[in-house]
Amino acid sequence: MSARELLDLVWLIPALPLFGAVVLLLFGKRIGEPAAGWLGTGLMGLAFAWSVVTFLALRDVEPRAHSYDLFTWLPSGGFEVKMGFLADPLSVTFILFVTGVGALIHLYAIGYMHGDARFGRFFAYMNLFAASMLVLVLGNNFLVTFLGWEGVGLCSYLLVSFWFERNSAAVAGKKAFVTNRIGDFGFMLAMFLIFARLGSLDYGVMTEGADGLANGTATAIALLLFLGAVGKSAQFPLHVWLPDAMEGPTPVSALIHAATMVTAGVFLVARAHPFFEASGSASEVVAWVGAGTALFAGTIALVQPDIKRVLAYSTVSQLGYMFLALGVGAYGAAIFLVVMHAFFKATLFLGAGSVIHGNADNQDIRTMGGLRRYMPYTAAAFIIAWLAIAGIPPFAGFWAKDEVLADAFFADQFGVWAVGTVAAALTALYMAREVWLVFFGNERFRAPAGGDPVEEHAEETPRDSEEWLRGPTVAYGEPPRSPRLTHDRHEVPPTMVVPVLVLAALSVVGGLLNLPFKTLEHLGHWLEPVFEGVPEIEATSFLSAARLSTLSVFMGVLGIAIALLLYRRGLPDPARDPLDERLGVAGRVFGHAWYVDESIARAVAGPGRRFADWLNDGLDHRGIDGAVNGVANLVRRTGGGLRRVQSGLVRNYALGVVFGAAGLLLFLVFRAG
């Protein structure tokens, strides 16, 4: 087969996990455990294999883009949308890590979800999640992308609230779904405006026509698309759903944070970059929202007690870096960070899941400590990912984050660069705090806050018990929990260890994809056709770039040093966190996520509810319904009055004729006079 014939089969990549989702939804319970998990994982592996074939085929075609239409989806006069897929360097980069990292997460989930009553359904949802993300990134027009966009939103609801018996999980799923609808509204308005101005939703038409738009129109489209990205990628102020999404099973958290959903917003802005380039001012908004979110989320992560919630706010912060890069025009750097983040964040989440799995569902890092002795492989992988996200060379995160900050500096965005540099120090600090409290220091699971040893139980916690329904997540301000251990602390089975170790290895060597040397910027050169025409950001000198890198590493080392100074001996008292105590009032503000969530809840429950009641009672019932019902009542009463005239008596009709004739005669007489 020729390269273009192979590229015509790009639709197989989302079709494979979609097929798995259909089969597992229909027959998952009958297939059973672990076969259902192996089926879902195997299909993801096949999707990755075909993604590699697509990558190799795309390298052999010029121009380096291939669009293939399956069928006409929406024919309606002048509006026609085809169900088509686009294979170009941007979409192929995304499908490679979505399928590769996604397959490893599926493999991990086979061990993590062992014994779950809805094992087959879980893998059906996971396959559907991956298929939706693949449709999103492969679509050759905005509407196909939006189809995948809504698909990942649906799947996030299904998976975050997978354990819906827990009220917290059910609420978290609804919160994710509702919050994302705000961003989706912006995406839809942007599509309406694009079609109104360009007459098509195809990406090819966008590339050709964006430069011809008025600046105000381009800005409006760009900002509406960015609103969609803010919701999906959990940027301020629509970040509130992502931390609560930790109520879902840990493989779901890893898939959301590393391989699907939250990177969708970054993809959308990168794909729609012609609108942002035509606007200019919209890019400024993107850069500052990204930088502000990176710093904002970093402060919140400093004092969180939940192992997964720290990582959740870390994701919000790292996504901020990606938008910072997009805003300054460093699109290649943003995509590089997306890929590297997939490696080390998947490692961190799966490592956290292993810790939870091996410690009776305990997620409170205040009651852990010293676990490296019991979980050596998990600890090694987690530490590698920690050094990567902290920006320590030569790990992958250093090369990606350093490139983002350097591009911001050399693009003369000094304010954005300064905020990002401070956020880098916070990243190293809160991640070092988590690593030390989990894997080093004193073993606090042996002596909880009450001082009595933890009682160990052989039986599992019943699925319908109050303890299980409460859920394992821990909020700031909640006292340390004394978990019931259902087994000794232990390393997880091979199906869980192997994916974590593979991802950790990628966190070490991933930087080789795009080293900051002309001949070694492989990813940058690969993406050049997509961002052709975007001004390239060049370092003023090698010495200047080296100084920035040194400063970046120094900030990371500084954050680690502060954490080690505070936590090198663990926590003598799990109820007292030294960093929280030193921060004082600021610590409480950070711990409560700057009270943004509470403020939104109060606004919705107070003025929001009263306004909704007014709309319901005043405007809807009395206004709209009143007008409609009023017209109906008027017609009914008029008809009732006229009905009396129609008595059916001939003498009444004759009398009416006489009066009518007399009236007509008088009218003619007076008119003649």
Side-chain angles (χ1 to χ4, degrees), residues 25 109 112-126 154-174 244-253 256 463 468:
L25 279 174
Y112 190 90
M113 297 301 292
H114 170 65
D116 193 274
R118 295 187 293 271
F119 186 87
R121 183 179 298 180
F122 177 82
F123 279 91
Y125 292 164
M126 292 278 279
L154 169 64
C155 292
S156 69
Y157 166 73
L158 295 174
L159 285 167
V160 170
S161 58
F162 184 75
W163 286 324
F164 55 83
E165 298 92 339
R166 293 172 174 165
N167 181 64
S168 56
V171 171
K174 289 186 287 186
D244 286 359
M246 299 305 97
E247 294 288 345
T250 300
V252 174
S253 303
I256 288 176
R463 189 74 177 260
W468 189 89

Side-chain angles (χ1 to χ4, degrees), residues 526-598:
W526 167 252
L527 292 170
E528 277 179 0
V530 180
F531 304 113
E532 186 178 3
V534 176
E536 189 174 351
I537 301 172
E538 294 282 357
T540 54
S541 68
F542 177 80
L543 184 60
S544 298
R547 287 172 178 170
L548 286 176
S549 296
T550 303
L551 178 59
S552 176
V553 173
F554 171 77
M555 297 301 284
V557 172
L558 177 62
I560 293 173
I562 293 173
L564 297 188
L565 182 65
L566 294 173
Y567 299 104
R568 66 185 183 278
R569 296 180 181 175
L571 288 179
D573 182 358
R576 299 182 63 183
D577 188 322
L579 181 58
D580 192 12
E581 291 179 345
R582 282 168 171 77
L583 289 171
V585 175
R588 289 192 292 275
V589 174
F590 297 162
H592 288 282
W594 293 79
Y595 295 97
V596 172
D597 223 341
E598 290 91 334

Side-chain angles (χ1 to χ4, degrees), residues 619-630:
L619 185 62
D620 191 10
H621 288 173
R622 299 179 184 177
I624 298 174
D625 287 354
V628 173
N629 294 336

Side-chain angles (χ1 to χ4, degrees), residues 60-71:
D60 296 334
V61 300
E62 289 294 338
R64 197 171 290 170
H66 182 81
S67 183
Y68 180 74
D69 296 326
L70 286 175
F71 55 86

Side-chain angles (χ1 to χ4, degrees), residues 491-525:
E491 188 60 271
V492 291
T495 54
M496 298 173 67
V497 168
V498 170
V500 177
L501 293 178
V502 171
L503 289 163
L506 292 172
S507 300
V508 176
V509 303
L512 296 175
L513 282 174
N514 208 52
L515 294 176
F517 304 100
K518 284 294 183 182
T519 58
L520 298 177
E521 291 182 327
H522 304 297
L523 183 60
H525 295 318

Side-chain angles (χ1 to χ4, degrees), residues 97-98 100-109 112 122 126 129 133 159-160 242 245-263 308 311-312 315 338 341-354 356 499-500 503:
F97 80 79
V98 168
V101 175
L104 291 171
I105 294 172
H106 276 68
L107 176 60
Y108 176 95
Y112 190 90
F122 177 82
M126 292 278 279
F129 205 170
M133 185 67 186
L159 285 167
V160 170
L242 192 56
M246 299 305 97
E247 294 288 345
T250 300
V252 174
S253 303
L255 198 61
I256 288 176
H257 288 250
T260 59
M261 192 150 175
V262 296
T263 61
K308 287 172 63 177
L311 299 179
T315 298
V338 168
H341 180 263
F343 296 157
F344 57 70
K345 187 51 63 71
T347 306
L348 290 168
F349 263 110
L350 297 186
S354 297
I356 296 166
V500 177
L503 289 163

